[in-house]
Amino acid sequence: MMAKHNEQQTSTDRMHAEVSRIFAEIARMNAEQNKLNKESLKITCETFWYPVGIATGFYAAVGTVIVVAQKLFS
């Protein structure tokens, strides 16, 4: 009778350990997914802002050249 109880307890302990391991794995995967989502958002923002920065710099350079040319030739 006691052996059967010990066997059931051992089986229950194994199931709890396995469930805990699965929950830990789920938490690890969620953390990895959050990390990848943040990295994806960062890349998306960079893909938008880099061309905006380059265009702004280009327009500033062209504007500067025009202002300098006007001052030189007037």
Side-chain angles (χ1 to χ4, degrees):
M1 182 82 164
M2 190 66 157
K4 185 175 182 180
H5 176 70
N6 286 342
E7 185 179 312
Q8 287 176 344
Q9 184 65 33
T10 303
S11 178
T12 302
D13 289 346
R14 280 192 202 130
M15 282 193 292
H16 286 157
E18 184 67 17
V19 168
S20 295
R21 187 190 65 74
I22 290 171
F23 279 141
E25 185 70 16
I26 289 171
R28 186 190 65 77
M29 287 181 175
N30 283 336
E32 184 70 21
Q33 182 181 14
N34 288 338
K35 178 183 169 189
L36 292 173
N37 285 340
K38 287 177 185 176
E39 188 67 25
S40 173
L41 180 62
K42 179 183 170 187
I43 290 171
T44 301
C45 288
E46 288 173 354
T47 347
F48 172 77
W49 285 111
Y50 280 156
V52 170
I54 290 170
T56 302
F58 175 74
Y59 287 127
V62 169
T64 302
V65 168
I66 290 173
V67 167
V68 169
Q70 283 179 344
K71 291 191 186 262
L72 286 175
F73 296 117
S74 60

